[in-house]
Amino acid sequence: MEYATQMEAAKKGILTQQMQSVAAQEQIAPETLLQRVAAGTVVIPANHHHKSLRPHGIGQGLSTKINVNLGISGDCRDYTCELAKAKLALQFDAEAIMDLSNYGKTNTFRKQLLELSTAMVGTVPMYDAVGYLEKDLRDIKAKDFLEVVRAHAEEGVDFVTIHAGINRKSIDSFERSGRRMNIVSRGGSLIYAWMKMTGNENPFFEYFDDLMDILYAHDVTISLGDAMRPGCIDDATDAAQVSELVELGLLTERAWSHHVQVMIEGPGHMMLQEIAPNMQMEKRLCHNAPFYVLGPLVTDIAPGYDHITSAIGGAVAAAAGADFLCYVTPAEHLRLPSLPDVKEGILAAKIAAHAGDLVKNVPGARAWDNRMGDARRALDWGAMFKEALDREKAEAYFQSAHPAEKNTCTMCGKMCAVRNMNRILQGESVSLQ
Amino acid sequence: MEYATQMEAAKKGILTQQMQSVAAQEQIAPETLLQRVAAGTVVIPANHHHKSLRPHGIGQGLSTKINVNLGISGDCRDYTCELAKAKLALQFDAEAIMDLSNYGKTNTFRKQLLELSTAMVGTVPMYDAVGYLEKDLRDIKAKDFLEVVRAHAEEGVDFVTIHAGINRKSIDSFERSGRRMNIVSRGGSLIYAWMKMTGNENPFFEYFDDLMDILYAHDVTISLGDAMRPGCIDDATDAAQVSELVELGLLTERAWSHHVQVMIEGPGHMMLQEIAPNMQMEKRLCHNAPFYVLGPLVTDIAPGYDHITSAIGGAVAAAAGADFLCYVTPAEHLRLPSLPDVKEGILAAKIAAHAGDLVKNVPGARAWDNRMGDARRALDWGAMFKEALDREKAEAYFQSAHPAEKNTCTMCGKMCAVRNMNRILQGESVSLQ
């Protein structure tokens, strides 16, 4: 093999099978894609060992991708339900699934997921460390953490979230400025607690080159986690967040020197007007590495509806350059999501991604909306359902009500503007009686 | 009485009871509000005959308001259900209810609604014309339309949508350019059909001064309807839409010369990046009259989820200057909404309005989010529910799951970042076992 990673191949001018597949699917020239993978502005997370994968690209000029979180936790140990979430994600064409399992037989579940998932699979090895190593947090040694990453890499995980940017330097900004919600990243808070309890530097920062060797060998994309993302509107774009982003940008170049593919993770909770500037800041500081955002949630006051607060922020983020959206469900801040919550979250994220794709003018995006417009003008309900993001729901809604006037819906009946315009433009007269 | 309308009072320097109430509620100086009402940048729709009204202001510097549509139609004649929708609107603090009834005993229902509604009530008299006049569309005479408006005004309706900008001049732009979805406004399509069948000019345009006399007498705010709003992404910001907006701006000044308060209605379906420019265009062409938008829906492909496509567009619109958002429910494009659909629509619109208010920096908006942040940091679930936009849903979600670790939720349990940060920052150690 002349290369270990997609980035290495691209730098050598080798067009891989994965690149060809992604280029075809995105309707762009393979050579253009190759250049972007070489430059790091596009990643194709594709672990050598993930045999069922249908590869996707994330980044410059490509359609916006979405990720679905799931996994086994201490309070919810229903393996069947978590696998059903994975199937739902695949059904609605989510391009990525993150397995956030942190309890019990995590590697059994991970293997099952990797076998069935045509979507790329990501993990946060830090969550799994306590269970995998069978030690409590303070007793884990720095290099132990790398062993967990190695286990995930060997099993076929396509990308891993690593909180390497929360180091002594960026923590100084957090501790000197203070903030309303402190650290709300699960992995980030564990690293912070470990650093405080042991007095050591962040192991993923201290042993970053060793980490790169592991990721390089299996072509695992690193998703540089934002431990200090804002957990409320009031903490957005503050010293802690920005200091960590500076570190992530510096680490990006170091990872690239190892030919390791890099994504950057981003906020979080944030007012609407801060979103576009944050996208620009990431692109500048992180040398146009793809941006993977959680939200942003544009207000804190709507628990139970955070799929909507995040769809608003996600759409604006995607339109302003975010490449990859992590879904948020109505259960966010309240409980582990149920299967219906997961569906709501997936649809909201797909809408946000597509709204962004219209702005990005990615091939095929506008044509889809235009087909729906044509179907609506023709009052062709079959065609409308065919173009609907969630055909089943659209059809069930329509079928549940019974308009007296053929081909209309109960919203307007005989007063249907489309029906009446079609008649008058064809020279017929319009009667409402 | 020295004045008939709020605008006339403001021009004379008279601070009305309604202005005082609105100023107190918005936490702004009454004199500032008075100047804005005089200049037409704020409206306070408050018909003399609507006795149960709690007045609200719409426009410059004020919080973003939302409207809930309901009403009796030919296919759904359930008076009880429509009144239940009105009560739901009031429960969640919608500031306006539009009664779009177009079938049966419309005035009986309207009177009931006006009696119970502390929210302002709007109508589209055009919908009611066919039923009220007991004639088919083509047989209605130009001045007959004004009689329907007069009936609504005398009954206490606070604002009326009048499609006066779709005249021979703006129709020329529509007919010469063509567009994918033609005219999707119900009232607009009826006016267009009537004009084509009779060969006459739009009666609301032709007899605009007579119309103003009716509205002036009862202080009915005119909401200048956008008959040619885009009905799909592909029609946004086209010749038809912009030509009509030019007419609406010209009519705004004419209404103001009669001391009639004016709002402008806006899109519609529109890509994200067109929204802010459209808000600016309205403010310029319509002399900063308040902007009332339906959506905008940022994609056409998600029937069943248009409360989300519209929350995205509505939030961005509000942040860019829209003053008033018409809710959209999941039933949009599919059926008349059910009661649960109405609730989903209200919540989505409230979220969009508040996300906009954070950007507008209206008094009290940011403080609300900060209280939620504080409650979350303290893991004070009671306080979180108290601050939640929909307390009942948030509480039900939380109560449905049972974390082993006190004070956390099942999303993270012992790995709760907030819990662990609180411990480590208090000098305690963090254990996950």
Side-chain angles (χ1 to χ4, degrees):
Chain A
M1 196 81 150
E2 295 170 77
Y3 60 88
T5 71
Q6 296 292 324
M7 182 180 229
E8 190 178 20
K11 285 176 183 172
K12 291 183 172 171
I14 301 165
L15 194 65
T16 64
Q17 200 186 335
Q18 288 83 357
M19 291 177 210
Q20 285 171 324
S21 157
V22 168
Q25 168 194 316
E26 301 274 352
Q27 302 174 47
I28 64 167
E31 296 68 28
T32 306
L33 183 69
L34 181 143
Q35 286 164 8
R36 291 175 186 169
V37 174
T41 63
V42 164
V43 294
I44 303 176
N47 186 310
H48 306 158
H49 315 297
H50 185 187
K51 300 303 179 193
S52 58
L53 178 71
R54 181 179 163 229
H56 286 282
I58 300 169
Q60 189 190 359
L62 308 186
S63 64
T64 309
K65 308 303 186 291
I66 74 154
N67 172 69
V68 169
N69 286 335
L70 49 81
I72 310 301
S73 60
D75 287 319
C76 293
R77 309 169 194 178
D78 186 341
Y79 290 76
T80 313
C81 175
E82 297 308 305
L83 281 177
K85 290 179 186 175
K87 286 170 190 162
L88 203 56
L90 298 176
Q91 181 193 330
F92 284 103
D93 297 323
E95 292 86 1
I97 296 172
M98 285 194 82
D99 172 16
L100 305 186
S101 294
N102 56 53
Y103 185 91
K105 297 173 187 165
T106 57
N107 72 335
T108 310
F109 180 75
R110 201 158 48 238
K111 278 174 185 162
Q112 276 185 285
L113 179 64
L114 281 160
E115 260 168 44
L116 79 85
S117 180
T118 52
M120 59 186 105
V121 172
T123 60
V124 189
M126 186 71 201
Y127 295 171
D128 191 27
V130 174
Y132 179 87
L133 299 166
E134 295 182 345
K135 294 179 187 175
D136 202 357
L137 185 62
R138 68 181 312 147
D139 304 321
I140 298 174
K141 300 297 168 209
K143 288 219 171 180
D144 288 345
F145 287 113
L146 298 191
E147 291 315 305
V148 185
V149 178
R150 188 189 310 276
H152 286 219
E154 287 173 353
E155 284 170 17
V157 167
D158 302 297
F159 65 96
V160 286
T161 294
I162 301 285
H163 300 93
I166 177 170
N167 56 15
R168 285 179 178 143
K169 186 178 149 198
S170 60
I171 281 175
D172 173 72
S173 297
F174 161 61
E175 291 179 345
R176 280 165 60 204
S177 68
R179 59 193 339 209
R180 193 173 290 271
M181 279 291 287
N182 299 317
I183 294 174
V184 298
S185 152
R186 207 152 66 166
S189 64
L190 296 177
I191 298 272
Y192 182 82
W194 186 87
M195 289 171 71
K196 290 291 146 180
M197 290 194 291
T198 64
N200 294 333
E201 177 56 289
N202 179 339
F204 297 113
F205 178 75
E206 189 168 5
Y207 299 100
F208 195 75
D209 291 320
D210 297 336
L211 176 66
M212 290 305 104
D213 292 342
I214 297 166
L215 303 183
Y216 170 78
H218 310 275
D219 199 1
V220 179
T221 298
I222 188 167
S223 189
L224 284 165
D226 56 332
M228 294 193 282
R229 66 170 174 268
C232 63
I233 293 294
D234 201 43
D235 291 346
T237 327
D238 74 345
Q241 182 200 319
V242 177
S243 296
E244 185 184 31
L245 187 64
V246 168
E247 294 300 306
L248 300 185
L250 296 168
L251 291 171
T252 296
E253 292 193 300
R254 205 157 134 204
W256 285 347
S257 74
H258 290 265
H259 316 307
V260 170
Q261 303 188 91
V262 178
M263 296 188 284
I264 306 296
E265 296 187 11
H269 294 238
M270 181 167 284
M271 280 198 290
L272 264 173
Q273 86 268 39
E274 292 182 58
I275 296 175
N278 264 272
M279 299 305 114
Q280 291 154 10
M281 185 163 60
E282 184 276 341
K283 294 289 179 189
R284 172 63 185 91
L285 287 171
C286 301
H287 321 287
N288 297 308
F291 203 15
Y292 174 25
V293 297
L294 174 59
L297 279 56
V298 295
T299 173
D300 302 335
I301 63 160
Y305 299 87
D306 279 325
H307 59 309
I308 297 180
T309 65
S310 112
I312 295 170
V316 172
D323 305 286
F324 188 22
L325 306 180
C326 185
Y327 91 150
V328 172
T329 81
E332 188 74 16
H333 300 109
L334 296 168
R335 72 175 187 208
L336 204 75
S338 67
L339 208 52
D341 292 332
V342 167
K343 186 184 166 191
E344 286 291 305
I346 292 172
L347 269 294
K350 291 293 281 188
I351 288 168
H354 184 74
D357 285 349
L358 288 171
V359 178
K360 290 176 179 173
N361 204 17
V362 302
R366 175 76 168 244
W368 185 2
D369 290 71
N370 288 351
R371 289 195 302 275
M372 181 62 89
D374 289 339
R376 284 181 171 150
R377 189 190 57 244
L379 289 168
D380 181 343
W381 293 91
M384 286 186 241
F385 301 143
K386 183 168 166 284
E387 300 299 341
L389 198 53
D390 181 358
R391 178 186 182 128
E392 206 176 312
K393 183 176 183 184
E395 200 157 358
Y397 259 63
F398 179 74
Q399 301 293 358
S400 69
H402 305 284
E405 180 74 7
K406 194 173 153 276
N407 267 346
T408 68
C409 83
T410 53
M411 177 71 91
C412 302
K414 275 191 183 169
M415 294 183 93
C416 173
V418 178
R419 163 196 184 268
N420 293 335
M421 285 303 296
N422 287 348
R423 293 198 176 178
I424 208 84
L425 291 174
Q426 284 157 19
E428 297 169 23
S429 99
V430 168
S431 167
L432 302 176
Q433 286 184 323
Chain B
M1 196 82 147
E2 294 169 77
Y3 60 88
T5 71
Q6 296 293 322
M7 182 180 229
E8 191 178 20
K11 286 176 182 173
K12 291 182 173 174
I14 301 165
L15 193 65
T16 65
Q17 200 187 335
Q18 288 82 358
M19 291 177 211
Q20 285 171 324
S21 157
V22 168
Q25 168 195 315
E26 301 275 351
Q27 303 174 46
I28 64 166
E31 296 68 28
T32 307
L33 183 69
L34 181 142
Q35 286 164 8
R36 292 176 185 168
V37 174
T41 62
V42 164
V43 295
I44 303 176
N47 187 310
H48 306 158
H49 315 298
H50 186 186
K51 300 303 180 193
S52 58
L53 178 71
R54 180 180 164 231
H56 285 282
I58 299 169
Q60 188 189 358
L62 308 186
S63 64
T64 309
K65 307 302 186 294
I66 75 156
N67 172 68
V68 169
N69 287 336
L70 48 82
I72 310 302
S73 61
D75 286 320
C76 292
R77 309 169 193 177
D78 186 341
Y79 290 76
T80 315
C81 175
E82 297 309 305
L83 281 178
K85 291 179 185 175
K87 285 169 191 163
L88 203 54
L90 298 176
Q91 181 192 330
F92 284 103
D93 297 322
E95 293 85 2
I97 296 172
M98 285 194 82
D99 171 17
L100 306 185
S101 293
N102 56 53
Y103 185 90
K105 297 173 186 165
T106 57
N107 71 336
T108 310
F109 180 76
R110 201 158 49 239
K111 278 173 186 163
Q112 277 185 286
L113 179 64
L114 281 161
E115 260 169 45
L116 78 84
S117 181
T118 52
M120 58 185 105
V121 171
T123 60
V124 189
M126 186 70 201
Y127 295 172
D128 190 27
V130 173
Y132 179 88
L133 298 166
E134 295 182 347
K135 294 180 186 173
D136 203 357
L137 185 63
R138 68 181 312 145
D139 304 321
I140 298 175
K141 300 298 167 206
K143 288 218 171 181
D144 289 344
F145 287 113
L146 299 191
E147 291 315 305
V148 186
V149 178
R150 189 189 308 276
H152 286 218
E154 288 173 352
E155 285 170 16
V157 168
D158 301 297
F159 66 96
V160 288
T161 294
I162 301 284
H163 300 94
I166 176 169
N167 56 14
R168 285 180 178 144
K169 186 178 148 200
S170 60
I171 281 175
D172 174 73
S173 297
F174 161 61
E175 291 179 345
R176 281 164 60 203
S177 68
R179 57 189 345 205
R180 193 174 290 271
M181 278 290 287
N182 298 316
I183 294 174
V184 298
S185 152
R186 206 153 67 167
S189 64
L190 296 177
I191 297 272
Y192 182 82
W194 185 86
M195 289 171 70
K196 290 291 145 180
M197 290 193 292
T198 64
N200 294 333
E201 178 55 290
N202 178 339
F204 298 113
F205 178 74
E206 189 167 6
Y207 299 101
F208 195 75
D209 292 320
D210 298 336
L211 177 66
M212 291 304 104
D213 292 342
I214 297 166
L215 302 184
Y216 170 78
H218 309 275
D219 200 2
V220 179
T221 298
I222 188 167
S223 188
L224 284 166
D226 56 332
M228 294 193 282
R229 67 171 174 266
C232 62
I233 293 293
D234 201 43
D235 292 346
T237 326
D238 73 347
Q241 181 201 320
V242 176
S243 297
E244 185 184 32
L245 187 65
V246 168
E247 294 300 306
L248 300 185
L250 295 169
L251 291 171
T252 297
E253 292 192 300
R254 205 157 134 205
W256 285 347
S257 74
H258 290 265
H259 315 309
V260 169
Q261 303 188 90
V262 178
M263 295 188 286
I264 306 296
E265 295 187 12
H269 294 236
M270 182 167 284
M271 280 198 289
L272 263 174
Q273 86 269 40
E274 291 182 59
I275 295 175
N278 264 272
M279 300 305 115
Q280 291 155 9
M281 186 164 59
E282 184 275 342
K283 294 288 178 187
R284 172 64 186 91
L285 286 171
C286 301
H287 321 288
N288 297 307
F291 203 16
Y292 174 25
V293 298
L294 175 58
L297 279 57
V298 296
T299 173
D300 301 335
I301 62 159
Y305 299 86
D306 279 326
H307 60 309
I308 297 181
T309 65
S310 112
I312 295 170
V316 171
D323 305 288
F324 188 21
L325 306 180
C326 186
Y327 90 151
V328 172
T329 80
E332 188 75 15
H333 301 109
L334 297 168
R335 73 175 186 208
L336 204 75
S338 67
L339 209 52
D341 292 332
V342 166
K343 187 185 164 191
E344 287 291 306
I346 293 171
L347 269 295
K350 291 293 281 188
I351 288 168
H354 184 74
D357 285 349
L358 287 172
V359 178
K360 290 176 177 172
N361 203 18
V362 301
R366 175 77 169 242
W368 185 2
D369 290 71
N370 289 351
R371 288 195 303 276
M372 181 63 88
D374 289 339
R376 284 182 171 151
R377 188 190 57 244
L379 289 168
D380 181 343
W381 293 92
M384 286 186 238
F385 301 144
K386 182 169 167 283
E387 300 300 340
L389 198 53
D390 181 358
R391 179 187 180 127
E392 207 176 312
K393 183 176 183 186
E395 201 158 355
Y397 259 63
F398 179 73
Q399 300 295 357
S400 70
H402 305 285
E405 179 75 7
K406 194 172 153 279
N407 267 345
T408 68
C409 84
T410 53
M411 177 71 91
C412 302
K414 275 190 184 168
M415 292 183 93
C416 173
V418 177
R419 163 195 184 268
N420 293 335
M421 285 303 296
N422 287 346
R423 292 197 177 179
I424 207 85
L425 291 174
Q426 285 157 18
E428 297 169 24
S429 100
V430 168
S431 167
L432 302 176
Q433 287 185 324

